[in-house]
Amino acid sequence: MNKPINLAVLGLGTVGTGVLTLIKDNLDELTRRSGRQIKVTHAGTRRQRDDIDSTIQQSADLMAIAESDDVDIVIEVIGGTDVAKEVIMHAIRHKKHIVTANKALLAKHGNEIFALAEEHGVQVRYEASVAGGIPIIKIVREALAANKVDWLAGIINGTGNFIMSEMQLKNRKFDEVLAEAQALGYAEADPTFDVEGIDAAHKLSLLASIAFGLPIQFDKVYCEGITKIHLQDVVYAKELGYTIKHLGFAIRRETGIELRVHPTLIPEETLLANVNGVKNAVMIDAHPLGQSLYYGDGAGAGATASAVMADVMDLVRGMDCNQHGSVPHLAFSPQKLLDTPILTSDEMTSGYYLRLTVKDELGVLADVTRILSDNGINIDAILQHDDHKQTGEVPVIILIQPVIEKQMNNAISKIESLDAVIEPVVRIRLESLN
Ligand code: HSE
């Protein structure tokens, strides 16, 4: 058998501990599949742990581990963007391959990290950084390598989907479900990353790069979270045959690329609408394959460790045939990445759900529909109930066919200036996923 492969696991939180457990549980399988002994020689941890294999050297000196001669692959599961970046850059300069689950780091500094890795002839693998255990990076970079991707849409934050599903299906309270997601190890250290859509935006920026062959451009992703979704909108959406999901979209348009993350009404019979709990799912529309859907656990120790170790296995297998550099970091040759513009939110196109709160007066709907038609906006459905009559205020729900956002914004500001419109218009984007 070839020489053993030595791993350093930096960070012993939920994911790092999950990796050690996976290696212990599946060591025979890993050895049989890779043809090599796989051994964790070092663990980077601030606090000594007495519950892990005593042959693993534990240390808080991450830089020393990163340059250690008896480490072949550094697994970075510390999280955050400061220390993690420093350690990874140091390890790359010492010719170590990197496996990371750190989407925030790659979203912000991935272009620089990949360039350094290419310079030093090593690989940075990041399967665990997007959609937990679903091998979506491998699918886009390798399995779909012969396709031209037109769009992808994904539920790519397990915590957010867990919260939305528990609230919608079981009527549970937001804070209570978030606390449970934290206890289960799904949530980010800062859970606002999950509920404000930032974690999903990190992941979308990576997916878009490997789908379209672009540098990573996290700062251009339009981002809305789930904190402003009201129960009444969930109920109205359901009545009209839609489910509200928090989705990330990367769409190729003639004028550029749309990158957006936001709550979205989607038809309730679609597969994505029925992805619940911590599950993630990514739907890809590509030529010539057509639509395909990938589904699985999006967060948690086991799912993430599975993705981390799949990357380790790829690197180990590649060492035997000197092929670990054969898949470009961003799926396309670094010299061939495009500078296609990322569209601003004003330039994006989508359908809309609008909820207006209006005075119950003659002609209000006529004024609203005139403003919409003056702005070239086509209505798909209108819903108004007569069970709010006592207050003199009526909620009116309008579904709008796909329109450029700038036109929608113009129309909404005119609608809001009508005397009969009492509150700001609630708007949620709507996609048919066709
Ligand atoms: N906080 C992330 C989520 C973890 O809930 O999806 C997996 O990236």
Side-chain angles (χ1 to χ4, degrees), residues 11-298:
L12 291 184
T14 303
V15 181
T17 307
V19 168
L20 295 186
T21 306
L22 185 157
I23 293 174
K24 194 159 131 236
D25 290 351
N26 289 0
L27 193 57
D28 278 357
E29 209 69 8
L30 295 173
T31 308
R32 284 177 54 224
R33 286 181 192 262
S34 67
R36 299 243 200 170
Q37 281 297 336
I38 291 184
K39 170 141 188 54
V40 179
T41 52
H42 296 73
T45 172
R46 270 188 302 224
R47 194 171 49 82
Q48 286 284 315
R49 293 262 301 259
D50 51 16
D51 58 336
I52 64 172
D53 182 344
S54 59
T55 65
I56 300 174
Q57 293 178 49
Q58 298 185 44
S59 165
D61 188 348
L62 304 182
M63 299 301 258
I65 298 177
E67 62 177 67
S68 173
D69 285 341
D70 62 347
V71 170
D72 300 296
I73 298 173
V74 171
I75 299 174
E76 183 277 308
V77 282
I78 318 164
T81 52
D82 301 329
V83 175
K85 181 184 177 198
E86 215 180 306
V87 178
I88 284 181
M89 300 293 265
H90 190 65
I92 291 173
R93 291 196 184 95
H94 285 84
K95 302 255 179 216
K96 313 294 182 196
H97 295 293
I98 310 292
V99 174
T100 179
N102 196 333
K103 53 267 162 143
L105 176 70
L106 294 180
K108 273 175 87 175
H109 303 295
N111 297 319
E112 183 187 348
I113 290 171
F114 294 147
L116 190 74
E118 279 146 24
E119 194 185 309
H120 289 272
V122 295
Q123 279 279 293
V124 177
R125 294 292 184 126
Y126 52 100
E127 186 61 71
S129 65
V130 182
I134 308 175
I136 196 67
I137 302 292
K138 199 172 195 55
I139 285 160
V140 180
R141 291 203 319 181
E142 298 177 48
L144 300 185
N147 281 261
K148 183 172 181 193
V149 176
D150 289 322
W151 57 261
L152 62 85
I155 294 171
I156 46 180
N157 180 268
T159 303
N161 200 44
F162 181 66
I163 294 173
M164 292 277 296
S165 312
E166 292 288 304
M167 285 173 65
Q168 290 186 37
L169 302 174
K170 300 184 192 160
N171 264 335
R172 294 182 63 195
K173 294 210 174 71
F174 188 98
D175 290 344
E176 173 195 317
V177 189
L178 174 58
E180 188 180 340
Q182 287 176 293
L184 289 166
Y186 300 159
E188 296 301 298
D190 177 353
T192 59
F193 274 36
D194 296 299
V195 297
E196 296 298 354
I198 301 160
D199 176 75
H202 288 148
K203 293 166 178 168
L204 186 77
S205 67
L206 298 176
L207 281 179
S209 290
I210 60 173
F212 302 129
L214 313 166
I216 302 162
Q217 295 168 80
F218 164 67
D219 53 344
K220 298 202 178 139
V221 181
Y222 172 82
C223 179
E224 270 177 44
I226 57 172
T227 50
K228 296 195 186 87
I229 295 294
H230 291 269
L231 191 58
Q232 57 178 317
D233 295 313
V234 172
V235 172
Y236 289 131
K238 194 172 168 48
E239 193 172 335
L240 290 158
Y242 291 86
T243 302
I244 303 181
K245 286 286 177 194
H246 191 252
L247 286 168
F249 291 92
I251 306 174
R252 189 196 296 274
R253 304 273 188 207
E254 269 177 27
T255 47
I257 306 286
E258 285 186 17
L259 299 181
R260 48 189 169 92
V261 162
H262 49 73
T264 317
L265 272 78
I266 53 176
E268 65 189 1
E269 69 279 6
T270 54
L271 288 168
L272 279 182
N274 293 286
V275 171
N276 291 315
V278 73
K279 299 291 183 196
N280 279 194
V282 180
M283 176 172 258
I284 302 180
D285 193 280
H287 178 77
L289 174 64
Q291 288 189 357
S292 54
L293 180 72
Y294 309 92
Y295 169 85
D297 275 5

Side-chain angles (χ1 to χ4, degrees), residues 350-412:
S350 74
Y352 283 90
Y353 160 104
L354 305 182
R355 173 163 57 80
L356 284 57
T357 306
V358 302
K359 288 184 198 156
D360 188 9
E361 289 176 357
L362 193 68
V364 178
L365 265 188
D367 289 343
V368 169
T369 53
R370 188 171 320 107
I371 290 172
L372 291 173
S373 76
D374 286 352
N375 282 275
I377 294 172
N378 213 350
I379 296 171
D380 229 7
I382 299 190
L383 174 71
Q384 181 187 323
H385 290 305
D386 63 357
D387 54 357
H388 296 76
K389 282 265 163 70
Q390 311 87 310
T391 60
E393 295 175 10
V394 193
V396 176
I397 313 301
I398 306 179
L399 301 189
I400 303 290
Q401 290 192 1
V403 61
I404 304 238
E405 181 148 334
K406 192 171 179 187
Q407 277 168 261
M408 193 73 254
N409 290 339
N410 283 341
I412 287 177

